[in-house]
Amino acid sequence: MDILDYIVILVFAVIIVAAGLSFRKTGKSMKSYFAAGGAVPWRISSLSLFMSFFSAGTFVVWGAIAYQHGVVAIAIQMTMCVAGLVVGMFIAPAWQRSRALTAAEFVSRRLGVTVQKFYSYLILLISLMYTGAFLYPVAKIINVSTGYPIEACILLLGILIIIYTVIGGLWGVMITDVIQFVVLTAAVLIVVPLAFDRIGGVNELLTNAPPDFFMPVNGEYSWLFLLAFGVYNGIFIGGNWAYVQRYTTVDSPKSASKVGYLFAGLYLISPVIWMLPPMIYRLVNPNLSGLASEGAYLMMCKEVLPKGLLGLMLGGMVFATASSVNTTLNLSAAVFTNDLYKSVRPHTNPRGLMFIAKMAVVVFGLITILVALLVPSVGGIVEIVLSVGAVTGCSLYGPPVWALFSKYHTGQSILWCTILGLAINVYLKFIHPLLTAISLTRAEEMLAGAVIPFVLLAGYEVWARGKGQLADDYVRYKKGQRHIVGQTAEEDEEETSSEEQNNYGLKVLARTLAITSLIFVGLALIADGKALWITLSIGIMVGLGGWSIYQSKRNS
């Protein structure tokens, strides 16, 4: 990498961190810190959801699969589009109607404190495992680009993420997510035409790609796997406690639905665009194998991007992938503070709770760094993301989603469905192969993880409906909901605070996009050929986007 790339990375890092830190004065209460005031514009919430979900493995996990199997990676991600539609139609508005600050708060009201504590501790554990796994690809990107030891990259990035997450709260997380979305979308729109130019055009990819490179299924990634992964994604997007915040922080069920619909629309288009660079790189260098294929995406960028633009792409990839980390850190701290610590010390004053919340981000961030350091020793990021997701995803997140709609499930029934589902999936994944020497395929593993909890939940639902009596937990929950809806004075005051946060957030976004536009234009002026005109056009578009946001807030 050129010295200009390092300068651009540094400048972009300063922009992102400054945007996050600019919200240091907005997080004065639990609702403003963890729910951004409860009235976030749905477009921002949806883009934040997209980046939090997309960045978990697009460049490393799906990039590696795209390099190895081609269109398979696109087909896998298309299941997320279908899942987003289902979430937008049913699950997201149901979460918003619950009027809970966190998913844990809903579980406590609907299923009881004991069940809530069980879920909170277990989800904290699983979330920290995931977060550590997602910090690893961020460090992997820098490791491939610079040659710095991956351990040093993990430590540096982990500390940086902790700083702007602990200070900015959820608004800081969301705005940096939107900025990263704009920068990365702009950067990849530059990479794709230059990558095709590198190999001689689209026809070269169509002609010289490996056999079956354009088939939607291949080997362990079968039609059965796609079906199971689609079901898993519907539950994971709709029930993951970090993503639930994106539905509960908007102002109405209709807005929550729009969050899901925009997410689905983005996943209808983005997989094709995002997966082209590693697919094209297969023609440039067909010799990557094993964990080396995890770096295919960035290697393609290094092949075609001129000085400075590689640094911008790298900076965007790093902070976009980091958005999964800061999202989960914010969620973990919210669960710990709002749903665990406050239940033990209910009389803690607001200032004390905010101190605990920020200390929780720091502690969970340090645990995340430790987990990330262990990723290479367990087979790489692809194995962790898919295997942990198959074993825990639907069993852990599915039962609370079911409880959103069920009048007959009790706290105990939901708890036992979760425990049995996890136990059966853990047995099939780890114990059954030891006893029989027979392992499930990737598709069978994913399908079992999706179907088993559904069968357990549906079985109890049918049995309880046959008795014809509503669950006592449900009756108690509905009474509590009427009390919550009646609390209007406090909500009116918070609505004013939310509007102020929204206005401030959009101003920060507009200013940051204007600065980012200048960076693109500046880099275009020192590029040549196609890179000059493509980069200049993208820079102007980003600037117009920032200007339109500024004008809309000024007019309103």
Side-chain angles (χ1 to χ4, degrees):
M1 288 197 349
D2 190 81
I3 185 65
L4 181 60
D5 292 308
Y6 288 103
I7 293 173
V8 171
I9 292 173
L10 180 61
V11 170
F12 186 68
V14 170
I15 291 172
I16 290 294
V17 174
L21 297 184
S22 66
F23 292 94
R24 62 190 180 277
K25 294 182 180 180
T26 62
K28 296 180 180 179
S29 68
M30 293 287 286
K31 187 167 185 177
S32 63
Y33 190 72
F34 289 129
V40 177
W42 64 267
R43 294 176 183 83
I44 288 180
S45 193
S46 185
L47 290 177
S48 179
L49 172 66
F50 176 78
M51 290 306 297
S52 299
F53 188 79
F54 140 98
S55 59
T58 296
F59 302 118
V60 178
V61 178
W62 310 130
I65 295 175
Y67 175 84
Q68 295 166 346
H69 303 297
V71 169
V72 169
I74 297 174
I76 291 173
Q77 292 179 80
M78 283 295 184
T79 65
M80 302 168 193
C81 169
V82 178
L85 286 174
V86 173
V87 169
M89 292 174 66
F90 304 108
I91 301 176
W95 278 118
Q96 207 284 333
R97 282 192 291 267
S98 74
R99 306 178 71 85
L101 179 65
T102 63
E105 186 175 332
F106 164 78
V107 171
S108 179
R109 294 177 187 169
R110 171 65 178 83
L111 305 173
V113 176
T114 301
V115 178
Q116 175 254 316
K117 288 186 181 297
F118 169 83
Y119 273 105
S120 295
Y121 285 120
L122 190 56
I123 284 179
L124 278 178
L125 176 63
I126 299 299
S127 294
L128 291 174
M129 291 175 59
Y130 262 118
T131 311
F134 295 157
L135 179 58
Y136 168 78
V138 193
K140 182 76 174 182
I141 290 168
I142 296 183
N143 167 251
V144 171
S145 302
T146 65
Y148 292 145
I150 194 164
E151 295 81 6
C153 298
I154 289 171
L155 288 170
L156 177 62
L157 286 167
I159 292 170
L160 192 61
I161 292 168
I162 290 171
I163 290 173
Y164 77 78
T165 303
V166 76
I167 294 177
L170 187 60
W171 249 118
V173 170
M174 285 189 167
I175 287 298
T176 54
D177 284 347
V178 175
I179 296 166
Q180 292 150 16
F181 169 80
V182 172
V183 170
L184 266 184
T185 301
V188 80
L189 290 175
I190 297 172
V191 171
V192 170
L194 295 180
F196 275 121
D197 192 55
R198 168 68 174 78
I199 63 171
V202 176
N203 191 57
E204 288 297 313
L205 177 63
L206 298 175
T207 304
N208 298 321
D212 300 328
F213 207 59
F214 298 102
M215 295 296 293
V217 295
N218 191 323
E220 62 180 344
Y221 304 108
S222 62
W223 288 112
L224 185 63
F225 173 85
L226 292 181
L227 173 63
F229 197 61
V231 175
Y232 162 78
N233 275 319
I235 297 300
F236 191 72
I237 298 167
N240 184 299
W241 287 17
Y243 304 152
V244 167
Q245 283 182 298
R246 302 304 184 266
Y247 317 133
T248 60
T249 54
V250 294
D251 60 359
S252 67
K254 185 176 181 180
S255 294
S257 290
K258 291 178 180 178
V259 172
Y261 294 149
L262 179 55
F263 176 91
L266 291 171
Y267 260 109
L268 181 64
I269 301 169
S270 64
V272 178
I273 300 172
W274 296 116
M275 291 300 100
L276 280 172
M279 289 173 63
I280 296 170
Y281 192 69
R282 180 66 182 267
L283 272 64
V284 177
N285 178 9
N287 299 318
L288 298 182
S289 61
L291 296 183
S293 62
E294 293 179 347
Y297 207 113
L298 197 51
M299 292 177 189
M300 186 71 254
C301 294
K302 292 174 71 174
E303 281 280 333
V304 300
L305 287 177
K307 296 177 182 179
L309 278 174
L310 177 60
L312 189 62
M313 182 69 178
L314 178 59
M317 291 169 74
V318 165
F319 282 98
T321 309
S323 71
S324 287
V325 180
N326 58 39
T327 292
T328 308
L329 285 182
N330 184 272
L331 174 277
S332 299
V335 170
F336 177 81
T337 308
N338 192 60
D339 305 300
L340 295 178
Y341 181 86
K342 199 164 71 170
S343 67
V344 177
R345 296 182 177 275
H347 302 299
T348 305
N349 61 45
R351 184 183 294 272
L353 284 176
M354 289 306 303
F355 174 79
I356 295 298
K358 294 182 177 183
M359 288 302 100
V361 173
V362 174
V363 172
F364 293 144
L366 294 176
I367 296 174
T368 292
I369 291 172
L370 178 62
V371 173
L373 292 170
L374 299 176
V375 167
S377 65
V378 294
I381 185 68
V382 174
E383 182 65 26
I384 286 181
V385 168
L386 294 181
S387 293
V388 173
V391 171
T392 67
C394 292
S395 294
L396 196 56
Y397 300 119
V401 171
W402 192 287
L404 281 169
F405 304 97
S406 175
K407 300 178 182 179
Y408 297 93
H409 264 283
T410 67
Q412 289 300 309
S413 67
I414 290 291
L415 180 62
W416 280 108
C417 286
T418 299
I419 293 173
L420 288 174
L422 286 172
I424 294 171
N425 283 313
V426 167
Y427 169 80
L428 292 174
K429 173 64 180 178
F430 299 106
I431 301 175
H432 185 70
L434 294 177
L435 297 179
T436 65
I438 300 174
S439 300
L440 298 181
T441 65
R442 179 80 73 190
E444 292 169 341
E445 179 182 284
M446 188 65 68
L447 187 63
V451 170
I452 288 170
F454 175 81
V455 171
L456 294 171
L457 290 162
Y460 182 89
E461 183 82 18
V462 171
W463 176 80
R465 281 177 178 268
K467 294 176 64 178
Q469 184 176 354
L470 299 181
D472 291 340
D473 291 339
Y474 175 78
V475 175
R476 185 190 66 248
Y477 168 71
K478 294 303 290 184
K479 290 180 180 178
Q481 285 296 94
R482 285 193 291 270
H483 174 70
I484 292 170
V485 171
Q487 296 174 338
T488 57
E490 182 179 351
E491 290 185 358
D492 289 342
E493 182 179 343
E494 288 179 342
E495 186 176 339
T496 302
S497 175
S498 300
E499 185 64 25
E500 291 175 356
Q501 288 190 57
N502 289 346
N503 289 332
Y504 181 73
L506 292 173
K507 287 178 182 178
V508 171
L509 180 60
R511 288 197 297 264
T512 307
L513 290 180
I515 296 171
T516 304
S517 171
L518 294 177
I519 294 175
F520 273 105
V521 172
L523 293 175
L525 296 178
I526 59 175
D528 53 24
K530 290 184 178 180
L532 188 158
W533 296 109
I534 295 172
T535 307
L536 183 62
S537 300
I538 294 294
I540 293 172
M541 291 173 61
V542 172
L544 290 174
W547 180 81
S548 66
I549 293 173
Y550 172 78
Q551 284 295 110
S552 67
K553 293 312 300 178
R554 184 180 180 183
N555 293 337
S556 63

